[in-house]
Amino acid sequence: MTEANIFCLNAHGYAVAVDAAHGASLTSLKWRKPDGEWFEVLHPCPPGEVARSGGSFVMAPFANRLDGGRFETDDGVVQVPLNRSEQKMAVHGFSRDRAWRVVEAADDTLVLVDDFADDGIPFRYRLTQAISIGPDGVEMSLSLTSTAERTLPYGMGFHPWFRKESETWLTFKAETGFGRDERGFPTVPMPASHGPDFSAGLEVSKMPWFDGHFSGWTSRRAILEWRRQGVMLEISGDGALRNLHVYVPDTLPVFCVEPVSHVPDVHNRRDLACYGDVEWLGPGKTLAGRMRLRLAEGQGL
């Protein structure tokens, strides 16, 4: 630990910094290139802040947008706080805004826990994040166990802010994309090829603004390339992380490639549940998923 609440991992040519006090967010991820130079993978996260514009944060117990911060269950309507009240929505869940407890720390491993409970919110859960560095890269796993007394819908995901510079490319294959309404919620499913064709690779540094969700990400794999730097990254998801969300702003030096468990606002858009649903967990039941980041030089992946 280099300063209060910041924990640093350094092994196998990777260096990771995690802020336990601000959502257990990654504030930095670096990879040592074969020439010895360190490559910054993530856009910088301002110190002492949740990773809202850089670094990487965890989304739970839902990923992305929830319309009105509400949904219906057999036991009645569930309402959660609106953290984007001007847009009448809740976004990205609760755990990113909380201090997490560190239960294990070593040079190559960090395990943190968020025991979430709030009198005004029905969701209650224990979320464990294990971050480890091995010869094949950085692995970040999530395990969420419901501690609520009632059955509720849970989801999760990761929201990394990757650096974007000239000649930055993204490649992945998916079956289904979605239309998008003026508030950013998914509408009509359509073949992924009807939108930007990431299957052939796209230079995100030249893309117009884009915010889209993808289902049928059967390979669970995407390739990021910083061609000017000669660096490639493979991002993969498994377990519950079966979908991919991509955000490419056109005015900021960032882009996001987010392995997630469900379609945004699927709580209220049940016609889209077949493309990625939340998991209804009873007391003591668990949802788990994992993201892996592996870097190599040039065409090495």
Side-chain angles (χ1 to χ4, degrees):
M1 186 169 67
T2 57
E3 58 183 272
N5 303 312
I6 303 295
F7 291 77
C8 296
L9 289 70
N10 195 324
H12 301 286
Y14 293 85
V16 177
V18 181
D19 188 342
H22 296 88
S25 299
L26 266 64
T27 61
S28 175
L29 168 60
K30 296 187 291 185
W31 175 65
R32 189 187 294 275
K33 298 167 64 175
D35 64 6
E37 179 184 357
W38 284 101
F39 177 78
E40 292 275 3
V41 178
L42 301 174
H43 185 70
C45 177
E49 295 183 12
V50 174
R52 286 187 168 88
S53 60
S56 179
F57 65 82
V58 171
M59 296 180 281
F62 56 88
N64 298 308
R65 296 168 171 84
L66 182 61
D67 195 1
R70 67 180 298 281
F71 56 89
E72 294 185 3
T73 74
D74 292 341
D75 298 322
V77 173
V78 170
Q79 179 72 55
V80 303
L82 303 181
N83 52 6
R84 285 193 188 170
S85 56
E86 72 284 358
Q87 296 175 297
K88 298 181 180 179
M89 66 178 72
V91 297
H92 303 323
F94 317 125
S95 287
R96 71 169 183 165
D97 296 311
R98 292 168 52 82
W100 292 46
R101 177 167 49 90
V102 175
V103 296
E104 180 182 346
D107 288 342
D108 60 355
T109 304
L110 183 66
V111 181
L112 310 100
V113 172
D114 176 27
D115 284 307
F116 180 84
D118 187 296
D119 289 341
I121 300 175
F123 286 102
R124 292 174 182 265
Y125 57 87
R126 167 168 287 192
L127 180 59
T128 301
Q129 179 178 197
I131 304 168
S132 62
I133 302 176
D136 290 330
V138 179
E139 180 176 292
M140 303 169 64
S141 65
L142 296 174
S143 178
L144 184 155
T145 300
S146 174
T147 56
E149 295 182 355
R150 57 188 286 194
T151 298
L152 288 164
Y154 288 87
M156 59 174 56
F158 289 99
H159 196 304
W161 300 87
F162 294 107
R163 61 184 286 183
K164 183 178 69 176
E165 57 186 35
S166 63
E167 299 184 46
T168 302
W169 287 69
L170 172 62
T171 306
F172 67 90
K173 294 181 180 180
E175 296 173 359
T176 304
F178 299 85
R180 183 181 185 277
D181 69 17
E182 67 278 2
R183 297 171 62 223
F185 291 102
T187 56
V188 180
M190 61 185 68
S193 58
H194 287 192
D197 188 8
F198 289 102
S199 68
L202 286 176
E203 186 175 357
V204 294
S205 43
K206 290 185 176 179
M207 283 183 65
W209 181 93
F210 178 77
D211 187 4
H213 190 84
F214 295 90
S215 178
W217 183 43
T218 54
S219 70
R220 305 281 191 104
R221 179 176 181 267
I223 299 295
L224 288 61
E225 299 174 80
W226 294 269
R227 293 186 177 179
R228 189 164 56 86
Q229 300 279 354
V231 174
M232 297 180 67
L233 179 150
E234 179 188 66
I235 179 172
S236 60
D238 64 15
L241 306 183
R242 61 182 66 88
N243 284 15
L244 198 66
H245 198 95
V246 176
Y247 173 51
V248 185
D250 56 4
T251 59
L252 299 170
V254 298
F255 70 111
C256 302
V257 183
E258 310 162 30
V260 296
S261 64
H262 61 87
V263 174
D265 198 42
V266 73
H267 308 65
N268 298 304
R269 298 164 196 264
R270 300 306 299 157
D271 57 321
L272 302 181
C274 61
Y275 298 100
D277 203 0
V278 285
E279 185 80 15
W280 288 81
L281 299 182
K285 298 300 183 181
T286 297
L287 178 69
R290 178 171 55 185
M291 176 176 73
R292 292 174 176 168
L293 304 172
R294 183 166 65 96
L295 286 114
E297 189 175 30
Q299 302 295 316
L301 290 172

